[in-house]
Amino acid sequence: MTVSRGFAGRRRGGQRTDLPPGQYDEGDGWPVLTAEVAPRLDPQSWSMGVDGLVDTPRTWTWDEMHALPQSDYDGPIHCVTTWSKFGMHWSGVSVDVLLDAAGVKKEAKFVLATSTTGYTTNLPLEHLRGGQAWVAWEADGKPLTREHGGPVRLLVPHLYFWKSAKWVTQLTLLDHDVQGFWERNGYHDLGDPWREQRYQGD
Ligand SMILES: Nc1nc2c(c(=O)[nH]1)N[C@H]1C(S)=C(S)[C@@H](COP(=O)(O)O)O[C@H]1N2
Ligand SMILES: [Mo]
């Protein structure tokens, strides 16, 4: 059986059936939420690294990253400030590809993602594996704009969107959880929208 994506989440009586608790459908809009000043990054000097508890720390330039097998995400994103945006199409490289290239050590259980600006966010390793996370450079058929994290951002769409670090440049594998920017300021360490894990203690 084939399920057409167009039918998933159809509105019933005006309410989407695929809206996590406490969220609303933002429609065609796409709010910008940035804690720092959006950097101006030259793709040719940007690079992506994987370090920490790996067999071989790796770094990819923009061109090297684009030579890796590409993969897409089709679906929604959910911001903790209660907007969700449906029907998005993203392209980039699966985080699995980067982790496999570096070789993840057995002791690794958590990841700290770091942006060129110093923004950080923490994630359990298992939530970045198995086709759940991307390093993305295209959204809805266009290069990611600077305000939305271009040239490259992390995309972890099954968690609240603050986990999707804009201007991402490093993934560090750790054996313990180290809180990132918003997590130190009270946001949840996991941030599952379906369990409404907005704040520490939720
Ligand atoms: N570097 C960086 N990444 C970030 C943020 C930020 O402030 N800085 N905000 C996060 C939050 S709270 C959200 S909701 C999304 C917003 O992404 P957008 O501006 O593309 O909608 O980016 C996340 N990634
Ligand atoms: Mo957010």
Side-chain angles (χ1 to χ4, degrees):
M1 190 186 102
T2 321
V3 178
S4 159
R5 204 171 278 120
F7 290 98
R10 257 238 162 120
R11 285 154 208 266
R12 271 193 213 131
Q15 266 288 51
R16 297 195 65 105
T17 55
D18 53 357
L19 201 54
Q23 297 292 112
Y24 74 92
D25 182 354
E26 174 63 31
D28 290 337
W30 186 0
V32 172
L33 281 106
T34 306
E36 68 273 41
V37 174
R40 254 171 229 289
L41 301 178
D42 174 5
Q44 294 307 324
S45 51
W46 171 88
S47 69
M48 180 73 213
V50 174
D51 66 0
L53 293 169
V54 292
D55 297 329
T56 319
R58 295 288 306 264
T59 311
W60 293 267
T61 63
W62 173 261
D63 292 337
E64 288 164 348
M65 174 99 353
H66 282 69
L68 296 172
Q70 193 170 311
S71 63
D72 298 342
Y73 166 72
D74 288 286
I77 57 175
H78 308 287
C79 174
V80 71
T81 62
T82 74
W83 58 267
S84 292
K85 181 169 171 56
F86 286 85
M88 292 201 81
H89 177 77
W90 291 79
S91 300
V93 60
S94 170
V95 171
D96 293 302
V97 172
L98 308 184
L99 294 179
D100 289 347
V104 175
K105 287 195 191 292
K106 257 200 332 286
E107 312 85 82
K109 296 283 182 281
F110 298 93
V111 174
L112 189 69
T114 304
S115 303
T116 61
T117 56
Y119 179 93
T120 50
T121 187
N122 51 306
L123 304 110
L125 173 59
E126 63 189 272
H127 283 265
L128 285 180
R129 302 199 93 160
Q132 299 185 90
W134 291 260
V135 169
W137 49 79
E138 211 181 277
D140 293 338
K142 290 184 224 102
L144 202 56
T145 60
R146 186 167 73 97
E147 60 188 353
H148 287 301
V152 176
R153 78 182 295 165
L154 189 62
L155 173 67
V156 193
H158 73 288
L159 300 177
Y160 283 125
F161 211 36
W162 86 78
K163 300 288 179 179
S164 295
K166 305 200 267 192
W167 316 290
V168 71
T169 190
Q170 197 75 35
L171 298 177
T172 303
L173 288 114
L174 303 164
D175 59 6
H176 59 290
D177 207 3
V178 173
Q179 291 183 322
F181 175 77
W182 282 120
E183 293 83 6
R184 284 195 304 272
N185 285 287
Y187 283 84
H188 200 275
D189 287 329
L190 179 57
D192 179 346
W194 291 98
R195 289 151 76 189
E196 224 178 337
Q197 294 171 333
R198 298 178 193 275
Y199 309 106
Q200 296 286 334
D202 282 353

